[in-house]
Amino acid sequence: MGFDWSVGVCIEYAQEIEIDMLLTLSRFATRCLMFFDDRGATESRKKVKLPGEVLTWEDEDLRDSSDGILFSDTEDEVEAMDADRRKLYREVKDWFGKEDDDDLMTEMETSGDLISKCLQKAVEELLPGHGGDFELRVHNWGGAYGESDHGAKDQLVYIAYNKFKTVTAEGGLDVGRGGVNVPWGYKMTHIGAQQECAEINASFAVIVEKLGLRAIGDPGLKLITNASGG
């Protein structure tokens, strides 16, 4: 057997976030569908778990006990959703209910759009009319046989501002058992100046804070590279 590999390069306006892949991502999606802007809400409603909240060791013990599952979704919460959110909710539950974790992780690159739609529902609550301006990107299986180096990671999750079009060098080349998404030769790709950076960054700050997320670094134009193989 040979070594199959690929390399990708793009530029996006993005905010990296901390989030685990499997169970946490599923919970993140369903809590996004149940999220509401709590400004002016009663104290009891403010106790609803945020999408970005994580389980402590004590929470893990409670989840595995007979006393109940923390972060589990109640029927009342599901019924309170509108039809579109309930549809997304069922799709998330079906997707993460797959028995084969390897298949699930492989599909995550192409099925991340489903999780992104859940995020957009929550963002719409916070920034009316702008929910569709932000998307969640989920990248997994980076590195050579899952091993990364020079500060790279084997998985990357971030929120992208999609009004800034993803930039690639375009073109490509075929090199046997792998590929690179840049053309042969030299090519300079212009990155347009962003006039509304302060407004975009303020929106990212609201999303991170209100959804209980944990940001990694500051938002901005990011050169995102991926080299994977195995």
Side-chain angles (χ1 to χ4, degrees):
M1 292 179 63
F3 181 80
D4 294 331
W5 59 274
S6 66
V7 174
V9 181
C10 73
I11 296 169
E12 294 199 89
Y13 204 96
Q15 171 67 69
E16 185 179 358
I17 60 173
E18 292 183 24
I19 188 169
D20 293 329
M21 279 292 177
L22 287 169
L23 296 178
T24 301
L25 191 59
S26 170
R27 187 169 61 242
F28 171 80
T30 60
R31 301 319 293 185
C32 278
L33 293 175
M34 297 169 189
F35 177 81
F36 64 95
D37 186 358
D38 67 5
R39 285 171 286 195
T42 63
E43 284 302 316
S44 62
R45 290 209 71 194
K46 288 183 180 180
K47 293 180 181 178
V48 173
K49 294 293 184 182
L50 297 178
E53 288 190 64
V54 296
L55 296 176
T56 65
W57 286 110
E58 291 79 7
D59 293 335
E60 291 277 6
D61 290 340
L62 176 61
R63 184 190 66 181
D64 296 333
S65 75
S66 59
D67 295 327
I69 302 178
L70 200 67
F71 287 90
S72 62
D73 309 323
T74 68
E75 286 300 318
D76 287 343
E77 287 177 316
V78 177
E79 289 305 314
M81 298 179 189
D82 59 34
D84 188 40
R85 291 182 185 227
R86 277 200 303 273
K87 180 176 181 294
L88 282 172
Y89 176 82
R90 300 301 180 195
E91 289 177 6
V92 169
K93 286 296 185 181
D94 289 344
W95 180 35
F96 280 91
K98 293 180 179 180
E99 295 182 1
D100 191 330
D101 287 350
D102 288 337
D103 286 346
L104 173 61
M105 299 299 276
T106 300
E107 291 180 13
M108 196 165 287
E109 292 282 348
T110 56
S111 302
D113 182 55
L114 173 61
I115 309 301
S116 188
K117 288 178 181 178
C118 297
L119 169 73
Q120 289 173 340
K121 293 295 184 182
V123 174
E124 184 64 26
E125 288 281 328
L126 295 168
L127 307 169
H130 296 282
D133 295 351
F134 297 87
E135 296 179 10
L136 188 72
R137 307 269 198 258
V138 179
H139 299 297
N140 196 46
W141 296 121
Y145 297 107
E147 295 291 332
S148 55
D149 56 18
H150 296 290
K153 304 175 180 180
D154 62 351
Q155 62 184 37
L156 179 68
V157 183
Y158 60 93
I159 300 172
Y161 176 69
N162 63 19
K163 293 295 184 181
F164 177 84
K165 185 180 183 297
T166 300
V167 177
T168 67
E170 300 181 350
L173 55 90
D174 249 334
V175 283
R177 299 176 66 92
V180 181
N181 75 334
V182 296
W184 289 113
Y186 297 97
K187 182 172 183 178
M188 181 177 289
T189 303
H190 175 67
I191 303 174
Q194 293 292 295
Q195 301 299 320
E196 69 275 32
C197 283
E199 183 178 345
I200 299 171
N201 293 348
S203 296
F204 272 123
V206 170
I207 293 169
V208 168
E209 177 188 357
K210 291 296 184 178
L211 298 187
L213 299 173
R214 300 167 307 287
I216 300 176
D218 297 321
L221 281 177
K222 308 289 186 180
L223 173 67
I224 299 169
T225 64
N226 171 53
S228 304

